[in-house]
Amino acid sequence: MPADPSTLTAAERAKYYLSDLFLRGVIGAAKLIPYRWRIPTMGWLVSRVAPLVGWTERIRDNLKLVMPDLPEAEVARLCRAVPNTVGRAAIEFYSGAEFAERARRAPLTGPGVAYFEAARAEGRPVILITGHFGNYDAARANLFGRGHPLGALYRRMANPYFNDHYVKAMYSVGSPMFEQGRRGMMEMVRYLRGGGTIAIVSDLHAHGGEKLDFFGKPAVSSLVPAELTLKYNAALIPAYAIRRPNGLDFDIVMHEPIAHSDPVTMMQQVNDDLEALVRTHMDQWFWIHRRWKPYMPELEDIAATEGGEAEDGEAPAAKG
């Protein structure tokens, strides 16, 4: 949740304000560049900043944990390519109509499309489950452009000054949006129960979740998407925006729906589905996140030997 400025010390307010001022400046300067060059420019910039903010170490730690045999050349490539992907997604998020128009032109394919369209025609609830891959906002913009409104759950930023324009940018793609928390969850459930479509990003560490397998290691995962699916007889469909080789365009893909069974089995299938996609496009998943939390012995050992961080938190670019 964003901090209430009235509860902060003068030093804390100054820190948040200056941080937001810097980010606004970077975003504003980037938006002066034509879209065609803006996106790769921000990708390049973030890839250069990544070692300074600890992202390179985080990527290396995660890869060493789950793919210890990955060749060093590939690890080094991903340490550059993943922040580039994050930087592109971040400035696309702030590019408004230009990004939305490009995303809406993307083809929508995959075996899940027929199930999605059938559920919509029946007025049946749909949960589109996705991850921090490519740019998931491209899928949201694409479906809005096709006349399929969908709600999304979002997490507010701690910086109250940054949060104001962050939330505004999210709403520019489409609404409704539901703020994470008790009230937002109630509103989202009401929308779903009425036959709506919602999108949930499921690949972050979920406090209170279940330890499920992801890349062969335990990753705490929320069971809520599957529980909502079963409770409201919704269709649970993995959906992703895969960035094309040109770095600007996307393919929106819906995979086979997750069969109704029990929440643990269903969410394990969600993890497996995302893992298979990531293995095909390693540089499009946000390896900067702490998906495998440091309380796990393997990651604690890596953090101790390579200087990785050993505390809770998420990368600043995380949403949802």
Side-chain angles (χ1 to χ4, degrees):
M1 290 294 291
D4 181 348
S6 66
T7 67
L8 301 174
T9 66
E12 289 171 332
R13 286 198 301 272
K15 180 188 73 171
Y16 277 133
Y17 181 79
L18 291 174
S19 174
D20 176 60
L21 195 65
F22 171 76
L23 290 170
R24 284 177 184 261
V26 171
I27 293 167
K31 290 178 71 173
L32 296 175
I33 304 171
Y35 187 91
R36 171 64 183 83
W37 303 110
R38 180 190 316 158
I39 308 308
T41 297
M42 185 59 78
W44 177 89
L45 178 63
V46 173
S47 70
R48 295 307 183 272
V49 173
L52 305 178
V53 297
W55 284 4
T56 299
E57 282 185 294
R58 183 84 54 76
I59 294 166
R60 284 188 171 274
D61 286 349
N62 283 333
L63 290 172
K64 185 171 182 178
L65 176 68
V66 302
M67 304 186 75
D69 297 327
L70 200 65
E72 171 57 29
E74 177 64 2
V75 173
R77 183 188 76 84
L78 291 173
C79 286
R80 297 187 300 270
V82 170
N84 189 294
T85 292
V86 175
R88 287 172 184 259
I91 197 59
E92 285 167 341
F93 179 70
Y94 276 98
S95 292
E98 292 171 292
F99 167 63
E101 177 57 32
R102 185 174 288 267
R104 287 167 183 166
R105 295 200 303 264
L108 175 63
T109 62
V113 174
Y115 291 92
F116 172 74
E117 293 176 343
R120 291 284 299 152
E122 296 168 5
R124 182 184 174 196
V126 176
I127 298 176
L128 297 177
I129 195 86
T130 190
H132 289 84
F133 180 96
N135 186 339
Y136 48 89
D137 274 322
R140 194 161 66 96
N142 183 273
L143 291 174
F144 271 108
R146 294 174 183 272
H148 299 298
L150 67 153
L153 189 68
Y154 70 92
R155 179 178 300 173
R156 293 170 67 89
M157 294 294 180
N159 185 327
Y161 307 109
F162 181 83
N163 186 72
D164 290 344
H165 56 90
Y166 167 79
V167 172
K168 184 178 179 181
M170 266 191 297
Y171 272 93
S172 71
V173 174
S175 60
M177 299 292 298
F178 308 107
E179 179 185 334
Q180 186 174 13
R182 181 179 178 84
R183 179 177 176 180
M185 186 59 112
M186 291 175 61
E187 292 172 346
M188 186 183 73
V189 168
R190 189 178 305 118
Y191 182 77
L192 180 69
R193 189 173 57 212
T197 299
I198 63 172
I200 298 178
V201 183
S202 68
D203 61 344
L204 293 180
H205 175 93
H207 293 286
E210 192 82 15
K211 285 186 181 180
L212 303 179
D213 181 90
F214 189 55
F215 277 86
K217 297 293 181 181
V220 178
S221 306
S222 174
L223 301 184
V224 170
E227 291 169 346
L228 291 174
T229 297
L230 295 173
K231 185 172 183 179
Y232 298 109
N233 191 32
L236 181 62
I237 304 175
Y240 306 101
I242 303 174
R243 191 178 295 275
R244 288 187 170 185
N246 67 10
L248 296 171
D249 296 307
F250 300 89
D251 290 303
I252 313 302
V253 180
M254 290 186 180
H255 291 181
E256 288 278 357
I258 303 298
H260 288 202
S261 55
D262 64 86
V264 169
T265 299
M266 293 170 70
M267 293 312 297
Q268 182 59 64
Q269 290 174 349
V270 168
N271 281 4
D272 293 344
D273 187 83
L274 176 59
E275 179 182 331
L277 184 67
V278 173
R279 287 183 180 275
T280 306
H281 306 278
M282 288 284 287
D283 54 1
Q284 295 205 37
W285 189 60
F286 290 18
W287 289 91
I288 59 174
H289 289 143
R290 292 187 180 93
R291 186 64 183 99
W292 302 271
K293 283 290 188 177
Y295 60 73
M296 293 164 50
E298 300 98 322
L299 197 51
E300 287 177 344
D301 291 343
I302 290 171
T305 57
E306 297 193 0
E309 296 177 75
E311 60 188 49
D312 285 353
E314 291 164 5
K319 297 198 293 297

